Amino acid sequence: KRVALLISGGGSNMVALAQSMTGDHPARPVLVLSNDPAAKGLARAAEMGIPTAVAEHRPFKGDRAAFEAALLEPLLAAEPDVICLAGFMRILTPDFTGRFAGRMLNIHPSLLPKYPGLHTHQRALDAGDTEAGCSVHEVIADLDAGPLLGQARVPVLPGDDADSLAARVLVQEHRLYPAVLRRFVTGDRTPVIL
Ligand code: GRF
């Protein structure tokens, strides 16, 4: 199985996923694609010997369709079986998500369906939640809303701020996403609950 990974920043989830695809794992990373040429994950992917590409969103301003056409070019050229959004921070149109229905995954730093969108950790703290976590889901047209493929929980601790909670959740993201991908490529859609 050929896996393309889309990033926007540090790419720590991409690294965790790429490092998991070894040995008897049926999948291999074939492309790391970023919307930002400055994404630190691009250098990390290159160090791992994974082909990289950039499709900048800024030159296209509000023209989402044109940006996605630029994104699609290297993506389709890589002929991926599965696409993992890993810290990818652009909203995709229904046309784009529809092209990869059933084979595009995303990791989101909340216990979905709670807190779709941004600033998830601050929202959990503001709500006084005693638990937080991360979710992996299939990508559909609606943001952060597709079928759940995995979830991991962490405690919210006294004195937590958004950064300390984010750091605790990120550790679980790096466990959850590889576990979900491993199960996903076998065709099993049973959610991974860590
Ligand atoms: C992570 O919190 C992830 O959940 C969110 O982007 C953040 C950074 O991810 N989608 P990464 O280090 O770039 O993988």
Side-chain angles (χ1 to χ4, degrees):
K1 293 282 181 191
R2 301 170 59 86
V3 175
L5 304 123
L6 273 60
I7 67 169
S8 295
S12 70
N13 276 289
M14 174 276 296
V15 170
L17 285 166
Q19 287 178 340
S20 76
M21 290 184 258
T22 59
D24 68 349
H25 195 302
R28 288 292 182 274
V30 295
L31 176 68
V32 170
L33 174 56
S34 177
N35 63 294
D36 184 342
K40 296 264 185 296
L42 288 167
R44 299 171 85 175
E47 281 164 23
M48 298 173 80
I50 304 168
T52 62
V54 174
E56 285 193 75
H57 67 279
R58 291 187 188 87
F60 298 104
K61 303 227 180 341
D63 186 346
R64 220 178 272 276
F67 161 59
E68 290 184 347
L71 202 65
L72 271 175
E73 191 186 330
L75 184 56
L76 294 177
E79 296 179 321
D81 299 300
V82 179
I83 294 164
C84 290
L85 305 182
F88 187 70
M89 304 307 277
R90 307 304 301 172
I91 291 178
L92 297 165
T93 65
D95 171 69
F96 190 97
T97 59
R99 284 169 176 271
F100 303 104
R103 58 196 184 102
M104 182 153 63
L105 282 57
N106 181 49
I107 188 154
H108 180 74
S110 79
L111 295 174
L112 292 173
K114 292 178 79 169
Y115 314 129
L118 297 175
H119 312 302
T120 60
H121 304 304
Q122 191 56 55
R123 290 157 68 190
L125 291 167
D126 293 348
D129 293 355
T130 56
E131 268 198 332
C134 49
S135 306
V136 176
H137 63 94
E138 285 188 36
V139 174
I140 62 171
D142 301 337
L143 183 67
D144 301 330
L148 195 70
L149 294 173
Q151 209 155 63
R153 293 172 179 273
V154 301
V156 176
L157 300 175
D160 263 336
D161 60 12
D163 290 341
S164 60
L165 183 52
R168 189 172 310 121
V169 171
L170 195 59
V171 170
Q172 297 307 316
E173 293 178 33
H174 299 161
R175 295 178 62 224
L176 179 66
Y177 215 167
V180 169
L181 179 62
R182 179 97 198 206
R183 180 172 292 183
F184 188 83
V185 295
T186 68
D188 183 350
R189 295 289 179 271
T190 316
V192 172
I193 304 300
L194 293 186

